[in-house]
Amino acid sequence: MGFFFTLIFVFMAYYSPQAVLGDIAQYHIEVLVAAVTFVMCLFSASGSGVSRLPQTYAIIGLVVSVALSLLLVWPGSIPTNLMEFIPNVMVFFFIVWSFKTKRQLQCLVLILLSAALFTIYKGYSAQLALEYRSLYVLMMRNDDLVWFFRIRGLTFLNDPNDLAQFLVTMVPMSFFLWKKGNALRNLLFVYLPCAGLVFGMFLTHSRGGMVALMVVVIMAGRKKIGVLPSIIGGGAVFAGLVASGFSGGREVGAGDDRMAAWSTGLTLIRTHPVFGVGFKRFTEYYEITAHNTIVVTAAELGLVGLFFWLLFTVTSVRDLVQIVSAPKPLINEDAAPEPASFRRHLKPARQALASLSFSNASLATANGARLPLHRVARTASPSVVSVAATPAVQPGGSTAATYLPSYMTEALPDIAKQQAEVRRLANVMLCAFSGFLAASWFLSRPYTMSLFVNAGIGAVILRMARESGIEVEPMPLPRAAKIAAFATVGLILGVYIFLRLDHLLPK
């Protein structure tokens, strides 16, 4: 039931309560749905391993940081702001608690994909009809002072840049629905939706979205064609987007207003380094937001808040990288066949394998030692795992050669296939995260629900990887904290250097 209610919760969040519920949205039915989802997900939380994930402690730290950032500024606003922030982060736990399989993740992706395409349809329809009052479009002037349309969503997607960031993550995530050898399914559920998503990104005219799409292309092609050709291809895509008028007639680059906002952000970090100036209070100090997630997070929540945000993000990306780069299983396909005495036990043996825990099952190596089945996936030494004969004591006390049962022999290719699919899903999410983070450098959306949805999916894939035999453990919290601390300092320094270089360039 937790799975079902999580889908409803995500559906309402991305379509917006107003679009789903109409006039009764004023009664905040989404709060009731969130509460019911939380209760239902608790029933399936056992075995999720959420307590061992660094992201759990990062979320706790973020919630505390939000409260502390407002404590000395406006204590009375803490409950209201926490009620706005907590539903976004809770979706991470909803997904980790209630999602177990690839099929369930595909259902979630279908919800997200339908929301993306629905929003594009509503925005494009309003643009064609010149309905400038529509909530799905935004009118603004370009550098030539010409008015043009930009589509947007509702709720937390009500800015064209927010929508573009969501769409660019959905381009790779649509490949959750891809199936090898099924051309019609791939056309209907992957390729055509991807074309629609890219068209929607064009309608947002988000310059940060252009950069993010280039990064996704590079990440997607790095394993197929190599890093350098992917970079060249990504550059060609970016050049094509610029030539097509993707930016809506605006200069492609960091404008003076954004650089001034970054400079204001660094000033706020210097004057309020620990807990910041307050959750979502940046625009009280400058007319526009900083259009940089790092700057906004550090300015509003302080270096403490940025540390926890990076702890959450870095560990989520690291888990996906570890899965993608994990050693592939080495299997000896020339192993001797099983004797006929085992064949009659083939069906019950396969059924027994289905109920085994990979951590408890074992195989025989070539030298007769026992090797846990889950370690077969990470065997990287030249001594290939063998399923050949191993000594066994017969009833009469004599030792004779026997063979591994057929279900063990035939399970190895299935395990390798399952691990390959898990790696593919991890690579898909790594591309999605890369696009999201690339857009974050030019957009100030550190608290958006999309971040926590992506991380939740990544955590489920991590559990699937371990269950399939890939030994990838969550990063130890002390090590994750150390990396997040270095990243906190390094990224703030990077923003400072970027600003200094911008000042040195001729205007």
Side-chain angles (χ1 to χ4, degrees):
M1 291 297 289
F3 162 72
F4 175 73
F5 277 97
T6 300
L7 292 182
I8 294 178
F9 177 79
V10 172
F11 179 86
M12 291 184 60
Y14 278 87
Y15 277 86
S16 86
Q18 293 81 3
V20 175
L21 301 174
D23 292 338
I24 65 174
Q26 60 182 318
Y27 300 107
H28 300 288
I29 305 299
E30 69 276 10
V31 177
L32 177 61
V33 173
V36 174
T37 302
F38 175 76
V39 173
M40 291 299 176
C41 286
L42 287 179
F43 289 103
S44 57
S46 177
S48 63
V50 71
S51 61
R52 295 188 292 113
L53 296 175
Q55 293 95 317
T56 299
Y57 304 98
I59 287 177
I60 295 173
L62 277 173
V63 172
V64 173
S65 297
V66 169
L68 292 177
S69 72
L70 296 168
L71 185 61
L72 299 178
V73 180
W74 188 11
S77 68
I78 293 178
T80 303
N81 284 281
L82 286 180
M83 286 299 295
E84 178 182 352
F85 179 70
I86 288 178
N88 290 340
V89 300
M90 282 306 299
V91 74
F92 172 82
F93 296 108
F94 294 164
I95 293 173
V96 176
W97 285 339
S98 58
F99 285 67
K100 312 293 183 184
T101 65
K102 171 188 169 182
R103 190 173 297 277
Q104 290 178 326
L105 292 178
Q106 287 177 324
C107 292
L108 177 60
V109 170
L110 277 173
I111 295 292
L112 297 173
L113 189 59
S114 67
L117 296 176
F118 173 80
T119 303
I120 293 170
Y121 165 75
K122 295 291 287 185
Y124 187 51
S125 298
Q127 179 175 328
L128 290 178
L130 301 179
E131 296 179 3
Y132 62 91
R133 295 181 182 272
S134 171
L135 297 177
Y136 289 93
V137 295
L138 176 70
M139 294 287 293
M140 66 177 299
R141 294 178 184 268
N142 60 20
D143 293 342
D144 296 326
L145 301 182
V146 176
W147 289 97
F148 68 103
F149 281 94
R150 301 179 68 188
I151 70 168
R152 59 180 178 175
L154 303 181
T155 62
F156 60 90
L157 298 176
N158 66 343
D159 184 275
N161 294 318
D162 294 344
L163 179 60
Q165 186 179 42
F166 170 54
L167 296 180
V168 77
T169 62
M170 289 309 304
V171 171
M173 284 176 64
S174 62
F175 280 83
F176 268 77
L177 307 174
W178 184 85
K179 186 176 182 180
K180 184 177 181 180
N182 195 328
L184 180 61
R185 168 176 165 168
N186 294 338
L187 176 66
L188 295 177
F189 291 96
V190 180
Y191 301 128
L192 289 179
C194 278
L197 293 170
V198 174
F199 178 65
M201 290 186 63
F202 174 81
L203 296 177
T204 65
H205 298 295
S206 171
R207 292 170 291 184
M210 294 171 56
V211 177
L213 188 59
M214 177 185 68
V215 171
V216 168
V217 170
I218 294 173
M219 289 296 296
R222 74 193 190 284
K223 285 187 171 294
K224 293 290 185 180
I225 61 177
V227 175
L228 182 58
S230 295
I231 294 176
I232 296 173
V237 168
F238 185 81
L241 295 176
V242 173
S244 68
F246 197 100
S247 64
R250 296 174 297 161
E251 179 184 359
V252 178
D256 292 338
D257 55 344
R258 293 194 178 191
M259 292 298 97
W262 287 24
S263 180
T264 300
L266 290 182
T267 301
L268 295 177
I269 295 169
R270 187 171 61 251
T271 56
H272 302 77
V274 182
F275 299 121
V277 298
F279 178 68
K280 289 196 170 183
R281 295 189 68 238
F282 187 92
T283 51
E284 296 182 18
Y285 295 85
Y286 194 73
E287 57 185 349
I288 63 171
T289 189
H291 288 280
N292 182 287
T293 294
I294 303 300
V295 174
V296 168
T297 305
E300 293 184 347
L301 304 184
L303 296 179
V304 173
L306 178 60
F307 165 80
F308 285 113
W309 189 88
L310 288 171
L311 178 64
F312 180 84
T313 307
V314 169
T315 52
S316 298
V317 174
R318 176 265 182 191
D319 291 341
L320 296 171
V321 171
Q322 289 290 95
I323 297 171
V324 172
S325 59
K328 297 181 180 180
L330 302 175
I331 301 172
N332 186 356
E333 298 178 353
D334 299 325
E338 74 285 347
S341 59
F342 282 117
R343 293 175 185 169
R344 65 177 180 272
H345 302 296
L346 183 57
K347 185 175 180 179
R350 283 176 176 165
Q351 294 174 347
L353 178 66
S355 64
L356 282 175
S357 168
F358 282 107
S359 60
N360 296 328
S362 61
L363 290 174
T365 59
N367 61 4
R370 304 301 293 179
L371 182 68
L373 185 60
H374 72 281
R375 289 188 56 194
V376 175
R378 63 190 300 269
T379 302
S381 63
S383 56
V384 179
V385 174
S386 172
V387 291
T390 57
V393 179
Q394 299 300 312
S398 61
T399 301
T402 60
Y403 297 87
L404 220 57
S406 296
Y407 74 86
M408 286 293 191
T409 307
E410 297 183 1
L412 289 174
D414 293 337
I415 295 170
K417 185 183 297 184
Q418 183 180 3
Q419 291 179 0
E421 180 63 11
V422 171
R423 285 189 179 88
R424 186 185 74 83
L425 297 180
N427 191 50
V428 165
M429 280 310 303
L430 186 59
C431 293
F433 246 119
S434 299
F436 180 90
L437 295 177
S440 295
W441 185 255
F442 302 96
L443 307 176
S444 51
R445 304 299 182 267
Y447 323 117
T448 179
M449 183 179 290
S450 296
L451 169 64
F452 301 97
V453 169
N454 294 346
I457 295 175
V460 174
I461 294 175
L462 173 67
R463 186 171 61 240
M464 291 169 57
R466 296 174 59 200
E467 291 174 351
S468 71
I470 302 176
E471 282 195 356
V472 182
E473 294 293 333
M475 182 184 293
L477 185 58
R479 184 183 174 197
K482 184 183 298 184
I483 294 175
F486 279 112
T488 300
V489 176
L491 287 171
I492 294 298
L493 182 60
V495 171
Y496 173 78
I497 294 174
F498 193 98
L499 277 173
R500 297 302 300 171
L501 292 176
D502 180 74
H503 289 319
L504 294 177
L505 294 176
K507 304 297 181 183

